[in-house]
Amino acid sequence: MKIGAFVPQGWRMDLNGVAQDKQWQTILDAANKIEELNYKSLWVYDHFHTVPKPTQDPTYECWTLMSALSQTTNKLRLGQMCTCNSYRNPAYLTKVASNIDVMSGGRLEYAIGAGWYDHEYKAYGYDYPTAGIRLKMLEESLIIYKLMTTEENPVFEGEFYKIDGAINQPKPLQKPYPPIWQVVDGERSIQWAGLNGLNTIMWIPTVKALKKRFEIYKEAKSKAENRDVPLGEGICLFRDMFVAET
């Protein structure tokens, strides 16, 4: 088992009360402590507004943090929980991710989902299509990600996205590309991730639900890869842990 941790970023009100000129140092101090304690990975959220309700408290942007923290850490894997596909053009996002993988020395985890926080969509002027359409958009986005990280002049035309000879240099250091993680919830998304060979992030599942979800994913991935995938392989669990002085 490998354990990672989040830096404070603001989305969950974890910078509430921290003066603006102290916020970035607070993030840096947390990243340094995570690395010092030998955690394996560092994570940030991809959101623009706070939860449980939008406030004027700060929320630092996900990929800006990825870029900066790639230069202030040395060995931590760097991931997002998780990138909202709708917020960035997939060709542009692939370019950014490839650059950061190089800048970090090959430490990027590419975690992405279809998106869900409708208030942010509306506030920032993004269309908010049905869940089914958002999943189809995610599927096309991942096709573009794989093509642009492995080919020199990739071409793709889908229903929602297209590229025509999109040059992506430098290519990421990790081959064929930084590991892909998809946040999953219901049986459909778990099966889809497994059948497409994606790693999965299971968002705060109950202990009771874990065994069934593990088995669904194992069966789907074993079928896709024509091998007996060990139970638990390719799965990341997200759980809250609250720490305070006693």
Side-chain angles (χ1 to χ4, degrees):
M1 180 182 295
K2 299 176 183 179
I3 301 177
F6 285 83
V7 293
Q9 166 185 6
W11 183 57
R12 302 185 78 179
M13 310 294 289
D14 45 17
L15 291 175
N16 187 22
V18 179
Q20 184 174 1
D21 62 349
K22 304 294 185 184
Q23 290 167 3
W24 175 231
Q25 191 60 52
T26 299
I27 296 171
L28 285 177
D29 290 346
N32 291 337
K33 179 59 70 172
I34 291 169
E35 188 156 72
E36 178 186 322
L37 292 174
N38 290 317
Y39 283 81
K40 297 301 182 182
S41 56
L42 175 155
W43 298 81
V44 301
Y45 298 106
D46 187 22
H47 285 290
F48 304 142
H49 297 164
T50 57
V51 289
K53 64 180 181 178
T55 71
Q56 293 299 320
D57 286 279
T59 302
Y60 283 76
E61 197 274 330
C62 171
W63 284 92
T64 305
L65 290 178
M66 287 282 95
S67 179
L69 294 172
S70 75
Q71 302 305 292
T72 64
T73 59
N74 296 304
K75 56 186 180 180
L76 288 167
R77 304 288 300 177
L78 303 171
Q80 320 83 46
M81 191 72 75
C82 67
T83 299
C84 175
N85 177 63
S86 308
Y87 291 169
R88 301 164 192 86
N89 173 278
Y92 168 76
L93 180 59
T94 300
K95 176 69 173 178
V96 171
S98 299
N99 280 207
I100 293 174
D101 192 58
V102 174
M103 292 163 59
S104 67
R107 293 185 286 129
L108 184 71
E109 303 284 346
Y110 190 75
I112 192 164
W116 63 272
Y117 197 2
D118 56 341
H119 184 279
E120 288 180 334
Y121 279 79
K122 180 179 178 180
Y124 275 71
Y126 295 115
D127 291 334
Y128 189 65
T130 64
I133 289 177
R134 297 198 308 276
L135 285 171
K136 290 179 181 178
M137 295 173 73
L138 173 61
E139 184 174 5
E140 289 188 10
S141 174
L142 289 173
I143 292 172
I144 289 174
Y145 173 76
K146 292 177 180 179
L147 289 174
M148 287 183 59
T149 51
T150 58
E151 297 184 7
E152 292 187 355
N153 295 287
V155 175
F156 172 78
E157 184 165 357
E159 183 179 355
F160 305 101
Y161 303 117
K162 63 180 180 179
I163 53 174
D164 186 8
I167 297 171
N168 180 35
Q169 297 293 350
K171 291 284 191 285
L173 293 180
Q174 297 180 86
K175 303 302 180 186
Y177 35 72
I180 303 172
W181 296 83
Q182 183 196 354
V183 172
V184 297
D185 186 15
E187 290 188 15
R188 179 185 174 189
S189 60
I190 295 171
Q191 289 174 334
W192 189 87
L195 290 172
N196 285 276
L198 307 180
N199 300 306
T200 61
I201 298 172
M202 297 188 179
W203 184 268
I204 321 181
T206 64
V207 173
K208 185 178 181 180
L210 279 180
K211 186 174 186 294
K212 183 177 181 181
R213 293 186 179 191
F214 274 40
E215 290 173 344
I216 292 170
Y217 179 73
K218 168 184 167 63
E219 181 180 351
K221 193 173 185 184
S222 295
K223 181 179 180 180
E225 299 184 0
N226 195 29
R227 67 184 180 97
D228 184 21
V229 173
L231 192 68
E233 179 182 302
I235 294 175
C236 171
L237 296 179
F238 173 89
R239 299 293 294 179
D240 285 317
M241 180 178 293
F242 298 97
V243 180
E245 293 182 4
T246 58

